[in-house]
Amino acid sequence: MLAIHATARRRAALSASLVAASALLGLTACVVLPPPSSIAVGAPITDEEHGERLEEHWDDVDPVLQDVGQSIIMRFSDVPAEPDDPAWEEMFMVELAAGDALLDAGIGYLDGNGSDGEVYEVFYYGSDHEAMWSIIEPMYDEAPLAWSEVQGWVSIEAEEPALLLTR
């Protein structure tokens, strides 16, 4: 389905709980596209370019944000069956734009996404899940896929999400 593109630095930073949850759901990590302003309309973006753009995004992340442990996990349950569906590319652009907005606000960043073909997840990490959601939520209003669940976590050790929204 979607190719795995993650750096050793990021793999090491993933929490054991998220890795275990992802393994249970059969999800795999993948990457996002560059922001819409840097993509020529109609130009295909390769998986290698996805990885390069996500690496550039991560280069801008303040190391302090990587250690604070709050997160937003978005789930999408009505996903296109075909990996080359245009909705995927549009979703990738929304994700990175939201990640860049979190970086600009100094409160978070896009970590990545994953799909098992039935459920699609997007992972944002930062210092304040509520403030992060206030920035992310409106960016998904016009996204080609509607989220089905959002979880806001205060730490990787938390047993329950502090924020749980469903549609």
Side-chain angles (χ1 to χ4, degrees), residues 145-160:
L145 305 178
W147 57 265
S148 54
E149 181 179 276
V150 171
Q151 295 179 0
W153 294 85
V154 295
S155 74
I156 60 174
E157 292 85 21
E159 293 185 24
E160 299 283 329

Side-chain angles (χ1 to χ4, degrees), residues 57-67 103 106 108-109:
H57 177 78
W58 287 338
D59 287 343
D60 293 335
V61 175
D62 181 345
V64 172
L65 285 177
Q66 294 175 352
D67 296 329
L103 282 174
Y109 63 98

Side-chain angles (χ1 to χ4, degrees), residues 5 7 10 16 26 41 43 49 66-67 70 75 78 84 88 99 103 106 108 122 127 139 148 152 156 162 167:
H5 294 282
T7 64
R10 293 304 312 142
V41 175
E49 289 170 319
Q66 294 175 352
D67 296 329
Q70 293 207 27
R75 288 196 175 95
D78 187 20
D84 60 349
W88 289 118
L103 282 174
V122 181
S127 59
M139 299 187 83
S148 54
I156 60 174
R167 291 190 195 184

